[in-house]
Amino acid sequence: MGNSALKAHLETAQKTGVFQLTGKGLTEFPEDLQKLTSNLRTIDLSNNKIELLPPLIGKFSFLKSLVLNNNRLTALPEELCKLKKLETLHLNGNHLRQLPAAFGQLSALKTLSLSGNQLRTVPPQLCGLRQLDVVDLSKNQIQNVPDTVGELQAIELNLNQNQISQISVQISHCPRLKVLRLEENCLELSMLPQSILSDSQISLLAVEGNLFEIKKLRELEGYDKYMERFTATKKKFA
């Protein structure tokens, strides 16, 4: 892509606060964006070939939305965690194995999408995020859901298409969790904590495509309580 095209995009971004440059074969984060650190609210660089997010990302102090789906990121810089206004972070289809240690400092984050990466566990850093509503960790390599998950503030947690065979009973203590998606994992029915049904806030539990028949779920103790929450929620949105 020529310099003049980039310049035109930068001029537009200066006026709108939105920089969008997708599917252009970019191999690195455009350094020229530094000129707009105080202007930009949204950056979308999806469908490129970016391998590294430079430390300068931490300078975009007004950034609300960062979208880097389908790139080649293998890690994220600690500087990303300085973005105190960031509400939406989409990093689907990269090669991320873990999150920066200080990720819990993204205090405004509401929506986090990490589908199609190489995570092996539910990152414990997520439990520090008090504003978090939706977390998508589908299509990773997660094998178990650890005790730390009990502190997660999210309303929806998507763990579809992982390799999960164990879930901590602490998941039923998540204070705001309403939607739990566990489709296409490696769960035996005996490994699904019954407290999810009998003693949690969860009103939509999606478990199709595991190692048990769905009708067996209906025989579990607490299923009636779950169905009461499920029906009440459905009525609310009908």
Side-chain angles (χ1 to χ4, degrees):
M1 195 181 87
N3 273 346
S4 55
L6 181 59
K7 200 172 169 210
H9 276 279
L10 287 168
E11 281 170 10
T12 307
Q14 192 162 5
K15 292 173 192 148
T16 62
V18 177
F19 184 83
Q20 186 176 33
L21 202 57
T22 59
K24 297 289 186 214
L26 294 182
T27 54
E28 50 189 45
F29 187 88
E31 295 250 317
D32 285 346
L33 283 184
Q34 292 187 78
K35 299 167 189 166
L36 301 177
T37 47
S38 57
N39 298 65
L40 290 184
R41 304 292 184 270
T42 299
I43 295 176
D44 183 356
L45 294 166
S46 297
N47 303 316
N48 282 294
K49 298 172 182 174
I50 298 168
E51 293 179 16
L52 276 177
L53 201 52
L56 69 88
I57 192 67
K59 294 179 181 172
F60 292 87
S61 43
F62 297 99
L63 200 63
K64 282 192 164 185
S65 174
L66 179 60
V67 185
L68 286 156
N69 294 333
N70 304 317
N71 276 281
R72 296 179 182 174
L73 299 171
T74 54
L76 300 170
E78 287 290 343
E79 287 79 4
L80 176 71
C81 309
K82 293 178 182 171
L83 301 179
K84 299 294 184 215
K85 289 195 171 10
L86 194 68
E87 293 178 9
T88 305
L89 181 58
H90 289 291
L91 297 162
N92 301 329
N94 280 282
H95 308 293
L96 300 169
R97 292 173 184 271
Q98 58 190 38
L99 297 179
F103 198 81
Q105 291 174 14
L106 291 171
S107 49
L109 198 63
K110 290 180 181 171
T111 303
L112 175 63
S113 287
L114 289 161
S115 180
N117 278 281
Q118 293 169 19
L119 300 172
R120 293 185 175 274
T121 186
V122 177
Q125 297 96 313
L126 302 187
C127 297
L129 298 168
R130 296 285 161 217
Q131 304 298 321
L132 206 53
D133 288 335
V134 179
V135 183
D136 186 353
L137 301 175
S138 61
K139 300 181 185 174
N140 276 280
Q141 295 161 17
I142 298 169
Q143 293 174 3
N144 64 9
V145 181
D147 288 347
T148 46
V149 77
E151 293 168 44
L152 191 69
Q153 297 291 320
I155 296 168
E156 176 169 346
L157 176 59
N158 186 343
L159 292 165
N160 289 348
Q161 292 178 285
N162 277 283
Q163 299 155 19
I164 296 167
S165 59
Q166 282 188 310
I167 299 180
S168 166
V169 68
Q170 296 297 326
I171 199 158
S172 49
H173 297 164
C174 292
R176 301 201 307 151
L177 191 62
K178 298 274 194 291
V179 178
L180 178 58
R181 300 186 188 280
L182 287 162
E183 294 178 331
E184 295 180 49
N185 277 284
C186 309
L187 282 168
E188 299 278 1
L189 190 57
S190 59
M191 286 297 169
L192 192 70
Q194 290 196 11
S195 53
I196 290 178
L197 298 173
S198 61
D199 192 26
S200 78
Q201 302 286 321
I202 295 164
S203 56
L204 178 62
L205 175 65
V207 287
E208 285 80 5
N210 279 281
L211 307 180
F212 58 87
E213 293 177 54
I214 289 297
K215 63 182 182 198
K216 297 280 188 204
L217 185 69
R218 296 175 196 139
E219 295 164 14
L220 289 184
E221 203 178 322
Y223 187 77
D224 294 349
K225 277 190 170 178
Y226 162 68
M227 279 313 290
E228 280 172 23
R229 296 192 303 270
F230 176 82
T231 312
T233 304
K234 253 192 148 168
K235 279 184 184 153
K236 203 160 74 177
F237 292 108

